Structure formats: structure tokens, C-alpha cells
Amino acid sequence: MRFVPRALALSLLTAPWLMMSPAPAGAVAGDIAVLQGLDKITARISTFEAPLNEPVRFGSLQIIARACDKKPPEETPESTAFLEIVDIRPDSPAVELFTGWMFASSPAISAVEHPVYDVWVVDCKKASSSSSETPPE
């Protein structure tokens, strides 16, 4: 049996590449990220949907949702989305504002830094469920 120093063994057990997973266990992947945005000038909050890999606009922001996951109903509620947000203005070059995961339960953990707009994740949903639902009578 080979001797492995304790510090090396602990570093191998806690290595980041061993602890990363694409989605939490039991997470349900969604096709659409449901987002809310605040226009700080008008104080209006808008709710909008961002289908995966399709750009949507909110003011001067272009938002692309790359992934969206939601925990199953029997677990603690949580929706997460991987977003790319770019500020596109006609008089200046595009500025990348945010690329990363946003969490519905903790919007301040990964917030968008912009003087006019705030954007946060509300939910994830499947595209098929939104088109097949009929309103209650």
C-alpha cells in the first residue's frame, strides 16, 4: 500500500472539478427562464420570458438564457438560470454586464450592475406546459 500524505489526500477529495455538477440532483431542466426586470427611472417592474439560447430585450439590455433548472416540488423551492447580459446602445459599443448563474431565492448573490436596470430570475418552466395549458373556467 502506498503512503499518501494527508494534505494531498484532503486536497484530492475537495478538488473543485470533483465537486462540480451540471445541475443539482433531482433538478428539472426548463426551456424558458422567467425573469423580472426593474426600470429604475420609471420604477416599473416587468415580467418576461427568455427561451433558452434566444436573445430577448429589456430596455437596452440583451439577455440570453443558456440554462434553466428548477428543483422538484417536494424539495425547497429554487430556480436557477445561467444568463448572459449585454448592454447594447446605439451610440457606444456593446458592454458585457453579466455572465453566470442567478438564483431566484437569492437575487443579491449574483446581481447585474447597471445604473438603469435590474434583472433577476423568478422561475423556470417547460415550453410545452405553457402552450398546452388552458385557463380555468
Side-chain angles (χ1 to χ4, degrees):
M1 186 169 189
R2 299 176 98 186
F3 174 74
V4 178
R6 185 175 183 190
L8 177 60
L10 287 175
S11 67
L12 289 174
L13 289 175
T14 60
W17 62 85
L18 294 175
M19 300 173 71
M20 291 175 20
S21 64
V28 178
D31 299 327
I32 299 173
V34 180
L35 309 173
Q36 283 189 333
L38 168 67
D39 183 331
K40 297 175 188 176
I41 304 297
T42 63
R44 289 193 176 142
I45 295 176
S46 302
T47 302
F48 54 96
E49 297 180 351
L52 294 186
N53 300 313
E54 293 182 24
V56 294
R57 295 294 296 245
F58 176 66
S60 65
L61 303 182
Q62 175 180 292
I63 303 164
I64 301 175
R66 297 292 182 190
C68 195
D69 295 313
K70 182 177 185 174
K71 283 191 176 181
E74 61 272 4
E75 293 186 25
T76 305
E78 179 66 280
S79 295
T80 59
F82 190 88
L83 304 177
E84 296 174 359
I85 302 176
V86 178
D87 190 7
I88 300 175
R89 297 184 192 178
D91 57 342
S92 61
V95 177
E96 290 184 25
L97 295 177
F98 180 85
T99 300
W101 288 96
M102 282 192 178
F103 304 89
S105 65
S106 304
I109 288 178
S110 52
V112 176
E113 299 289 331
H114 192 274
V116 179
Y117 303 109
D118 281 343
V119 175
W120 60 92
V121 175
V122 176
D123 197 7
C124 291
K125 65 182 189 177
K126 291 276 191 190
S128 59
S129 67
S130 64
S131 61
S132 65
E133 288 181 355
T134 57
E137 294 181 12

